[in-house]
Amino acid sequence: PDESLAPAICEQSNREADALIRACYPDYQVKAFVCHSWLMDPQLSILLKPESNIVAFQQKYTVFPAPSSGKAIFRFVYERHYDRLEDLPETTSLERALKQHYLAGKYIYEPGGFFFLPAAN
């Protein structure tokens, strides 16, 4: 299902995940969260509006390279296989930007990203 990447919702989710991990694993000191996703590709900050939730989500992370196919975006954004790039839908600004990007022979990759958590009290 589609979930919001609104900054307040992401921050709440991060706090809840941090609390759950600390409660379940009290002897383990959580220091950072890591994400491997097409959402980490820095090209998105060029393709999308600066105020987009995806760009805000990315800005929390320090990105690092990771092996990737450049195809994960199709499963998550378009949710089904298309034989021809020309047939990709253009319903949203994200879909339009990605379609043009791929038609230009470019890819969106799946790098990793991390951010450090505040120290536990």
Side-chain angles (χ1 to χ4, degrees):
D2 293 334
E3 298 294 333
S4 174
L5 285 176
I9 292 173
C10 290
E11 287 302 318
Q12 180 62 32
S13 179
N14 292 338
R15 285 190 298 276
E16 290 171 4
D18 183 32
L20 179 64
I21 292 167
R22 291 178 196 278
C24 292
Y25 303 97
D27 295 334
Y28 183 75
Q29 187 176 6
V30 179
K31 295 186 179 185
F33 282 160
V34 176
C35 177
H36 288 266
S37 173
W38 62 271
L39 291 166
M40 293 290 110
D41 191 318
Q43 296 177 93
L44 293 170
S45 67
I46 297 165
L47 295 173
L48 302 174
K49 294 178 182 176
E51 64 274 8
S52 81
N53 286 339
I54 290 174
V55 172
F57 179 81
Q58 281 185 345
Q59 290 174 341
K60 185 167 185 82
Y61 291 82
T62 298
V63 176
F64 59 87
S68 96
S69 68
K71 296 180 182 177
I73 198 144
F74 294 106
R75 180 181 46 212
F76 290 99
V77 174
Y78 297 106
E79 297 180 337
R80 75 174 188 85
H81 175 74
Y82 288 86
D83 290 325
R84 297 171 359 110
L85 293 173
E86 294 83 2
D87 296 334
L88 292 171
E90 297 183 59
T91 309
T92 67
S93 59
L94 176 61
E95 288 176 348
R96 286 187 293 278
L98 294 174
K99 180 177 181 177
Q100 292 309 309
H101 192 70
Y102 274 83
L103 285 172
K106 300 174 185 173
Y107 296 87
I108 296 295
Y109 296 99
E110 301 92 40
F114 69 91
F115 68 89
F116 292 105
L117 296 170
N121 297 331

